[in-house]
Amino acid sequence: MILTKDQHDYNTFIVDYSHIEGAKDKKALLEMLRKQCEEIGVADYFNRAADELTDSDATMCNLLFSARRIFPEDNMQIMDRLSSHFLTAAKRLDTKHFVIAAYELFHVALTSDEVQLIMLEEFQSRASKLPPFEIINLLWSLTSGNRVDYLNLLNSVFPIVNQNKSGLLPSQTTTVLYCMAKCNNVENLSVFNEIVEYFRRQTMHFTRAKQKDVCVLLWALAVFEVYKEDIWVEAVGNIFANKHLLGNNPPNQGQVVNALRSLQIARQSNLLDWKQEQAFWDKIDSLLDESKPKFFENRLIARQKNFQHRIGDKVDPTEVYSLLRQTGLKVIPEQIVDMYNIDYVIKDFKFEALQTTPDKELWKEKLAEAPAEVKHVPCDKTRDVLVEVDGPNHFVGGSQRLQGGTLMKRRNLSRLGYRLIFLTSPELREISRAASPSARWTLFCGYLVDKLKGLESQ
C-alpha cells in the first residue's frame, strides 16, 4: 500500500510520492494509487473535507495538493470545491501556503476563473518579496494550462526575477527562459538577453551546462529569433559533444530539432550575418538528418493518438475533419510537414472544387468517427494548403497572444513557402453551437471560404 487512511484526521491521506518518483514503472504505480483511492472512497472524503474544513488553510492546501495528483483527469468538481475556499483565504495565507495553493490552482483550468484571478492579483502583489525559485515554480505552473490573462503579471515579474537571479541554479535559469519564450514575452526581451548572458557565465560558456538546459536555451533563442553567433556556436558545441544523449529524451530532442531547423531556415532566408565555415553548417545538417527518423516516428504516433481524443475547450477535431470533408476537398488529417505537426492538409486545392452544399454521403458519417490509421502524405507547397486548428493551448492564458512555439512554427512554415490557414477555437465553438448539422455546415463553409479567400489574396 502506498496510500494510507487515518480515521481521526482529515489531513491524513498520505501519498508517499518518493515511491513513485523513484520507480521504473511510474505509470503502473499511479494506476495502483488511483485504484486504491476508489476502494477507500477518497472522492467522498475530499468532498466532505471541502465542506467541513473551510477554516483550515494548511489542511485545504494539502488537500488541494493531493487532489490534483490523485484525480488528474476527472478532478474538476473536487478542485472547484476546494478552490472556493481561497476566494476569502488568499490574502491571509502565509508565504508557504500561498505558494502551495497558487501552484496547484494555476496548474488546472477551473470552471470559474474568479479564484485564479484573485490568486493572480495576490501573486503580483507578493512577487517582490518571494524567493526567486518560488516565483519560477509559480510561473512554470501558470504557463502550464491557465486560462486567465496574465500578460500584465509577466511584464512585472520577469524583471524581479532578473534582479535576483544570482541565487538560481542553471536549470532554474533556463526555466525562466523557457517561460519567457513560451509566453512570447517580447516586452521583456532585454531582460531575456540579460538572463541568457547570465546562464552563459554561470555554465562557463555552456561547457558545464546539462544538455537538457542547453536544449531549452536554444529553443527559447529560436522563438525570439535571437541569433547571436557566439552564443549559438558555443551552445551548439555542447549539443555536438553530447548528441548521443538526444535519443534518450524526446522532449529535449524536439526542442533542439526545432531550434536547429529554425536556424537553418533563418540562414536560407538570408537573415544571418555569420562568419562560420561550411563545416559548421554540415554538422547541423548531419545532426538533423540523424534525428529525423526517430523524431518523425514519435511525432506520427502522437498525431494518431491526438486524433482519437477530443482536444481542449470542447473543439472536436473529428467534427472539424468531417466538416472539411463535406466541402468536397481532399483532406488528409494529422500530418507532419517539414518536422512540424499539421492538423489537416487540403490536397491539390482549387477554389472551383469547393462545394457550397454538403456531400450527402459524407453527411451520413458519424462526426465522432476518426480514421483507423493516420498515414503520412508528402506535401506540395504550390498546390496544397495547410490547415491548423488553434485551440486554447496555442495562446498565452486567456489572451489572444500566440504562444512562442506556435508563433515559431507559423513563421518557419511561411518562410519555407507553405500556404497556411488557421481556424481558432472561439470561432469553431460558435459554429458547434448551431442548432442543426445544416446550420453548422452553413456557418463553417462561410468561415472556411473567408479564410481561403484571404490566402488567395496574399
Side-chain angles (χ1 to χ4, degrees), residues 205-239:
H205 292 257
F206 314 123
T207 58
R208 297 184 181 179
K210 293 181 179 179
Q211 187 198 58
K212 63 178 183 179
D213 292 332
V214 177
C215 290
V216 172
L217 167 71
L218 290 173
W219 181 84
L221 289 169
V223 167
F224 284 125
E225 294 193 281
V226 177
Y227 292 121
K228 295 181 179 179
E229 184 175 4
D230 53 348
I231 292 177
W232 274 83
V233 172
E234 291 172 1
V236 170
N238 175 290
I239 299 298

Side-chain angles (χ1 to χ4, degrees), residues 353-403:
L354 185 65
Q355 296 181 10
T356 55
T357 55
D359 186 303
K360 292 183 179 180
E361 292 302 315
L362 291 172
W363 192 265
K364 298 175 184 177
E365 291 186 355
K366 294 180 181 179
L367 293 182
E369 188 175 291
E373 184 180 1
V374 172
K375 296 182 179 180
H376 176 64
V377 178
C379 182
D380 187 318
K381 294 181 184 179
T382 61
R383 302 169 63 184
D384 301 341
V385 174
L386 312 184
V387 182
E388 279 284 272
V389 179
D390 287 343
N393 291 336
H394 290 264
F395 297 91
V396 180
S399 72
Q400 293 302 305
R401 176 175 297 187
L402 285 173
Q403 286 196 6

Side-chain angles (χ1 to χ4, degrees), residues 247-307:
N248 299 327
N249 197 323
N252 291 340
Q253 183 192 50
Q255 287 174 329
V256 79
V257 165
N258 277 315
L260 295 182
R261 184 62 182 132
S262 296
L263 184 67
Q264 278 186 330
I265 294 169
R267 184 180 182 233
Q268 293 168 9
S269 304
N270 298 316
L271 298 176
L272 303 182
D273 185 22
W274 288 18
K275 297 178 175 60
Q276 291 302 304
E277 299 290 339
Q278 184 59 39
F280 174 82
W281 301 107
D282 290 343
K283 288 177 73 174
I284 288 180
D285 295 343
S286 175
L287 189 147
L288 287 175
D289 288 341
E290 290 174 20
S291 302
K292 276 182 182 179
K294 191 64 178 177
F295 179 83
F296 186 88
E297 178 186 343
N298 291 339
R299 283 286 176 96
L300 203 57
I301 292 171
R303 298 307 286 172
Q304 174 70 57
K305 290 181 179 178
N306 178 64
F307 198 75

Side-chain angles (χ1 to χ4, degrees), residues 284-352:
I284 288 180
D285 295 343
S286 175
L287 189 147
L288 287 175
D289 288 341
E290 290 174 20
S291 302
K292 276 182 182 179
K294 191 64 178 177
F295 179 83
F296 186 88
E297 178 186 343
N298 291 339
R299 283 286 176 96
L300 203 57
I301 292 171
R303 298 307 286 172
Q304 174 70 57
K305 290 181 179 178
N306 178 64
F307 198 75
Q308 300 294 340
H309 297 83
R310 296 174 69 90
I311 58 175
D313 224 11
K314 301 186 183 303
V315 177
D316 188 343
T318 56
E319 181 167 0
V320 175
Y321 177 56
S322 181
L323 289 168
L324 280 170
R325 291 189 67 203
Q326 289 167 27
T327 62
L329 301 172
K330 184 180 180 181
V331 180
I332 312 294
E334 304 299 335
Q335 294 298 292
I336 300 174
V337 176
D338 201 273
M339 295 189 168
Y340 289 103
N341 298 336
I342 298 296
D343 293 323
Y344 308 98
V345 175
I346 300 176
K347 298 294 294 180
D348 301 321
F349 171 70
K350 296 178 182 177
F351 247 112
E352 53 268 28

Side-chain angles (χ1 to χ4, degrees), residues 157-168:
V157 168
F158 283 125
I160 294 174
V161 174
N162 186 38
Q163 292 169 6
N164 298 280
K165 60 182 178 290
S166 60
L168 298 179

Side-chain angles (χ1 to χ4, degrees), residues 405-424:
T406 301
L407 182 65
M408 179 169 63
K409 173 181 173 179
R410 286 190 182 190
R411 184 172 63 218
N412 287 342
L413 288 170
S414 296
R415 285 175 178 170
L416 288 168
Y418 290 99
R419 300 191 294 170
L420 302 94
I421 61 173
F422 308 97
L423 314 180
T424 65

